[in-house]
PDB file of all heavy atoms in Angstrom:
ATOM      1  N   VAL D1539     -22.781   6.868  -3.403  1.00 95.00           N
ATOM      2  CA  VAL D1539     -22.815   6.936  -4.862  1.00 95.00           C
ATOM      3  C   VAL D1539     -21.715   7.880  -5.341  1.00 95.00           C
ATOM      4  O   VAL D1539     -21.532   8.970  -4.788  1.00 95.00           O
ATOM      5  CB  VAL D1539     -24.188   7.417  -5.373  1.00 95.00           C
ATOM      6  CG1 VAL D1539     -24.184   7.550  -6.899  1.00 95.00           C
ATOM      7  CG2 VAL D1539     -25.291   6.463  -4.930  1.00 95.00           C
ATOM      8  N   LEU D1540     -20.974   7.448  -6.376  1.00 95.00           N
ATOM      9  CA  LEU D1540     -19.966   8.296  -7.017  1.00 95.00           C
ATOM     10  C   LEU D1540     -20.469   8.714  -8.394  1.00 95.00           C
ATOM     11  O   LEU D1540     -20.972   7.883  -9.159  1.00 95.00           O
ATOM     12  CB  LEU D1540     -18.641   7.551  -7.180  1.00 95.00           C
ATOM     13  CG  LEU D1540     -17.859   7.175  -5.928  1.00 95.00           C
ATOM     14  CD1 LEU D1540     -16.593   6.416  -6.323  1.00 95.00           C
ATOM     15  CD2 LEU D1540     -17.499   8.408  -5.117  1.00 95.00           C
ATOM     16  N   ASP D1541     -20.337   9.988  -8.701  1.00 95.00           N
ATOM     17  CA  ASP D1541     -20.626  10.483 -10.051  1.00 95.00           C
ATOM     18  C   ASP D1541     -19.320  10.490 -10.836  1.00 95.00           C
ATOM     19  O   ASP D1541     -18.369  11.194 -10.470  1.00 95.00           O
ATOM     20  CB  ASP D1541     -21.222  11.889  -9.999  1.00 95.00           C
ATOM     21  CG  ASP D1541     -22.635  11.886  -9.434  1.00 95.00           C
ATOM     22  OD1 ASP D1541     -23.366  10.923  -9.712  1.00 95.00           O
ATOM     23  OD2 ASP D1541     -22.990  12.832  -8.707  1.00 95.00           O
ATOM     24  N   ILE D1542     -19.272   9.697 -11.906  1.00 95.00           N
ATOM     25  CA  ILE D1542     -18.035   9.519 -12.667  1.00 95.00           C
ATOM     26  C   ILE D1542     -18.274   9.895 -14.126  1.00 95.00           C
ATOM     27  O   ILE D1542     -19.274   9.486 -14.736  1.00 95.00           O
ATOM     28  CB  ILE D1542     -17.527   8.068 -12.558  1.00 95.00           C
ATOM     29  CG1 ILE D1542     -17.112   7.773 -11.114  1.00 95.00           C
ATOM     30  CG2 ILE D1542     -16.366   7.814 -13.508  1.00 95.00           C
ATOM     31  CD1 ILE D1542     -16.645   6.354 -10.893  1.00 95.00           C
ATOM     32  N   LYS D1543     -17.343  10.649 -14.669  1.00 95.00           N
ATOM     33  CA  LYS D1543     -17.398  11.054 -16.078  1.00 95.00           C
ATOM     34  C   LYS D1543     -16.279  10.340 -16.833  1.00 95.00           C
ATOM     35  O   LYS D1543     -15.125  10.335 -16.399  1.00 95.00           O
ATOM     36  CB  LYS D1543     -17.231  12.569 -16.188  1.00 95.00           C
ATOM     37  CG  LYS D1543     -17.249  13.112 -17.610  1.00 95.00           C
ATOM     38  CD  LYS D1543     -17.044  14.623 -17.585  1.00 95.00           C
ATOM     39  CE  LYS D1543     -16.979  15.210 -18.988  1.00 95.00           C
ATOM     40  NZ  LYS D1543     -16.704  16.670 -18.947  1.00 95.00           N
ATOM     41  N   LEU D1544     -16.628   9.717 -17.962  1.00 94.00           N
ATOM     42  CA  LEU D1544     -15.659   8.986 -18.777  1.00 94.00           C
ATOM     43  C   LEU D1544     -15.522   9.670 -20.134  1.00 94.00           C
ATOM     44  O   LEU D1544     -16.525  10.031 -20.761  1.00 94.00           O
ATOM     45  CB  LEU D1544     -16.103   7.536 -18.972  1.00 94.00           C
ATOM     46  CG  LEU D1544     -16.276   6.690 -17.702  1.00 94.00           C
ATOM     47  CD1 LEU D1544     -16.905   5.354 -18.048  1.00 94.00           C
ATOM     48  CD2 LEU D1544     -14.949   6.500 -17.004  1.00 94.00           C
ATOM     49  N   GLU D1545     -14.281   9.823 -20.599  1.00 93.00           N
ATOM     50  CA  GLU D1545     -14.036  10.487 -21.874  1.00 93.00           C
ATOM     51  C   GLU D1545     -12.793   9.888 -22.511  1.00 93.00           C
ATOM     52  O   GLU D1545     -11.817   9.572 -21.822  1.00 93.00           O
ATOM     53  CB  GLU D1545     -13.839  11.986 -21.635  1.00 93.00           C
ATOM     54  CG  GLU D1545     -13.769  12.814 -22.888  1.00 93.00           C
ATOM     55  CD  GLU D1545     -13.780  14.308 -22.602  1.00 93.00           C
ATOM     56  OE1 GLU D1545     -13.852  14.688 -21.410  1.00 93.00           O
ATOM     57  OE2 GLU D1545     -13.702  15.098 -23.555  1.00 93.00           O
ATOM     58  N   MET D1546     -12.810   9.707 -23.834  1.00 91.00           N
ATOM     59  CA  MET D1546     -11.669   9.147 -24.551  1.00 91.00           C
ATOM     60  C   MET D1546     -10.819  10.250 -25.158  1.00 91.00           C
ATOM     61  O   MET D1546     -11.339  11.239 -25.676  1.00 91.00           O
ATOM     62  CB  MET D1546     -12.139   8.209 -25.673  1.00 91.00           C
ATOM     63  CG  MET D1546     -12.936   6.996 -25.225  1.00 91.00           C
ATOM     64  SD  MET D1546     -12.108   5.915 -24.048  1.00 91.00           S
ATOM     65  CE  MET D1546     -10.602   5.503 -24.926  1.00 91.00           C
ATOM     66  N   TYR D1547      -9.507  10.087 -25.087  1.00 87.00           N
ATOM     67  CA  TYR D1547      -8.551  10.985 -25.742  1.00 87.00           C
ATOM     68  C   TYR D1547      -7.575  10.132 -26.554  1.00 87.00           C
ATOM     69  O   TYR D1547      -7.071   9.129 -26.034  1.00 87.00           O
ATOM     70  CB  TYR D1547      -7.762  11.796 -24.708  1.00 87.00           C
ATOM     71  CG  TYR D1547      -8.529  12.910 -24.066  1.00 87.00           C
ATOM     72  CD1 TYR D1547      -9.030  12.776 -22.778  1.00 87.00           C
ATOM     73  CD2 TYR D1547      -8.747  14.117 -24.732  1.00 87.00           C
ATOM     74  CE1 TYR D1547      -9.733  13.796 -22.170  1.00 87.00           C
ATOM     75  CE2 TYR D1547      -9.452  15.141 -24.127  1.00 87.00           C
ATOM     76  CZ  TYR D1547      -9.944  14.983 -22.848  1.00 87.00           C
ATOM     77  OH  TYR D1547     -10.641  16.003 -22.253  1.00 87.00           O
ATOM     78  N   PRO D1548      -7.260  10.514 -27.797  1.00 86.00           N
ATOM     79  CA  PRO D1548      -7.972  11.495 -28.613  1.00 86.00           C
ATOM     80  C   PRO D1548      -9.398  11.008 -28.901  1.00 86.00           C
ATOM     81  O   PRO D1548      -9.715   9.851 -28.671  1.00 86.00           O
ATOM     82  CB  PRO D1548      -7.143  11.557 -29.899  1.00 86.00           C
ATOM     83  CG  PRO D1548      -5.826  10.924 -29.573  1.00 86.00           C
ATOM     84  CD  PRO D1548      -6.111   9.929 -28.508  1.00 86.00           C
ATOM     85  N   LYS D1549     -10.197  11.904 -29.426  1.00 85.00           N
ATOM     86  CA  LYS D1549     -11.589  11.556 -29.702  1.00 85.00           C
ATOM     87  C   LYS D1549     -11.661  10.410 -30.707  1.00 85.00           C
ATOM     88  O   LYS D1549     -10.856  10.325 -31.637  1.00 85.00           O
ATOM     89  CB  LYS D1549     -12.345  12.770 -30.266  1.00 85.00           C
ATOM     90  CG  LYS D1549     -12.392  13.962 -29.336  1.00 85.00           C
ATOM     91  CD  LYS D1549     -13.300  13.711 -28.155  1.00 85.00           C
ATOM     92  CE  LYS D1549     -13.470  14.965 -27.317  1.00 85.00           C
ATOM     93  NZ  LYS D1549     -14.286  14.724 -26.116  1.00 85.00           N
ATOM     94  N   LEU D1550     -12.626   9.526 -30.509  1.00 84.00           N
ATOM     95  CA  LEU D1550     -12.816   8.412 -31.433  1.00 84.00           C
ATOM     96  C   LEU D1550     -13.341   8.919 -32.772  1.00 84.00           C
ATOM     97  O   LEU D1550     -14.209   9.795 -32.829  1.00 84.00           O
ATOM     98  CB  LEU D1550     -13.807   7.409 -30.843  1.00 84.00           C
ATOM     99  CG  LEU D1550     -13.353   6.669 -29.579  1.00 84.00           C
ATOM    100  CD1 LEU D1550     -14.526   5.885 -28.987  1.00 84.00           C
ATOM    101  CD2 LEU D1550     -12.207   5.733 -29.895  1.00 84.00           C
ATOM    102  N   ASN D1551     -12.783   8.366 -33.856  1.00 82.00           N
ATOM    103  CA  ASN D1551     -13.260   8.753 -35.187  1.00 82.00           C
ATOM    104  C   ASN D1551     -14.703   8.291 -35.405  1.00 82.00           C
ATOM    105  O   ASN D1551     -15.498   8.974 -36.035  1.00 82.00           O
ATOM    106  CB  ASN D1551     -12.357   8.148 -36.269  1.00 82.00           C
ATOM    107  CG  ASN D1551     -10.959   8.730 -36.219  1.00 82.00           C
ATOM    108  OD1 ASN D1551     -10.789   9.895 -35.871  1.00 82.00           O
ATOM    109  ND2 ASN D1551      -9.963   7.912 -36.546  1.00 82.00           N
ATOM    110  N   LYS D1552     -14.996   7.105 -34.870  1.00 83.00           N
ATOM    111  CA  LYS D1552     -16.363   6.618 -34.961  1.00 83.00           C
ATOM    112  C   LYS D1552     -16.679   5.814 -33.701  1.00 83.00           C
ATOM    113  O   LYS D1552     -15.811   5.155 -33.136  1.00 83.00           O
ATOM    114  CB  LYS D1552     -16.572   5.758 -36.209  1.00 83.00           C
ATOM    115  CG  LYS D1552     -15.731   4.484 -36.220  1.00 83.00           C
ATOM    116  CD  LYS D1552     -16.093   3.614 -37.414  1.00 83.00           C
ATOM    117  CE  LYS D1552     -15.304   2.287 -37.385  1.00 83.00           C
ATOM    118  NZ  LYS D1552     -15.680   1.407 -38.500  1.00 83.00           N
ATOM    119  N   THR D1553     -17.924   5.925 -33.295  1.00 83.00           N
ATOM    120  CA  THR D1553     -18.345   5.186 -32.107  1.00 83.00           C
ATOM    121  C   THR D1553     -19.060   3.913 -32.525  1.00 83.00           C
ATOM    122  O   THR D1553     -19.522   3.784 -33.664  1.00 83.00           O
ATOM    123  CB  THR D1553     -19.295   6.042 -31.251  1.00 83.00           C
ATOM    124  OG1 THR D1553     -20.424   6.421 -32.048  1.00 83.00           O
ATOM    125  CG2 THR D1553     -18.596   7.284 -30.728  1.00 83.00           C
ATOM    126  N   LEU D1554     -19.120   2.981 -31.591  1.00 88.00           N
ATOM    127  CA  LEU D1554     -19.832   1.733 -31.834  1.00 88.00           C
ATOM    128  C   LEU D1554     -21.304   1.902 -31.475  1.00 88.00           C
ATOM    129  O   LEU D1554     -21.668   2.777 -30.683  1.00 88.00           O
ATOM    130  CB  LEU D1554     -19.212   0.618 -30.998  1.00 88.00           C
ATOM    131  CG  LEU D1554     -17.720   0.349 -31.222  1.00 88.00           C
ATOM    132  CD1 LEU D1554     -17.223  -0.696 -30.230  1.00 88.00           C
ATOM    133  CD2 LEU D1554     -17.454  -0.105 -32.646  1.00 88.00           C
ATOM    134  N   SER D1555     -22.125   1.063 -32.044  1.00 91.00           N
ATOM    135  CA  SER D1555     -23.546   1.139 -31.711  1.00 91.00           C
ATOM    136  C   SER D1555     -23.788   0.501 -30.349  1.00 91.00           C
ATOM    137  O   SER D1555     -23.029  -0.374 -29.906  1.00 91.00           O
ATOM    138  CB  SER D1555     -24.380   0.427 -32.778  1.00 91.00           C
ATOM    139  OG  SER D1555     -24.147  -0.969 -32.718  1.00 91.00           O
ATOM    140  N   GLN D1556     -24.841   0.932 -29.690  1.00 91.00           N
ATOM    141  CA  GLN D1556     -25.197   0.386 -28.390  1.00 91.00           C
ATOM    142  C   GLN D1556     -25.452  -1.113 -28.476  1.00 91.00           C
ATOM    143  O   GLN D1556     -25.092  -1.878 -27.568  1.00 91.00           O
ATOM    144  CB  GLN D1556     -26.443   1.100 -27.861  1.00 91.00           C
ATOM    145  CG  GLN D1556     -26.875   0.669 -26.470  1.00 91.00           C
ATOM    146  CD  GLN D1556     -25.971   1.235 -25.387  1.00 91.00           C
ATOM    147  OE1 GLN D1556     -25.745   2.436 -25.350  1.00 91.00           O
ATOM    148  NE2 GLN D1556     -25.460   0.373 -24.514  1.00 91.00           N
TER     149      GLN D1556
END
Side-chain angles (χ1 to χ4, degrees):
V1539 177
L1540 293 179
D1541 290 324
I1542 294 178
K1543 179 181 177 183
L1544 300 172
E1545 188 172 0
M1546 298 303 304
Y1547 285 103
K1549 299 289 187 183
L1550 294 171
N1551 294 327
K1552 63 174 183 178
T1553 58
L1554 302 175
S1555 69
Q1556 183 75 52

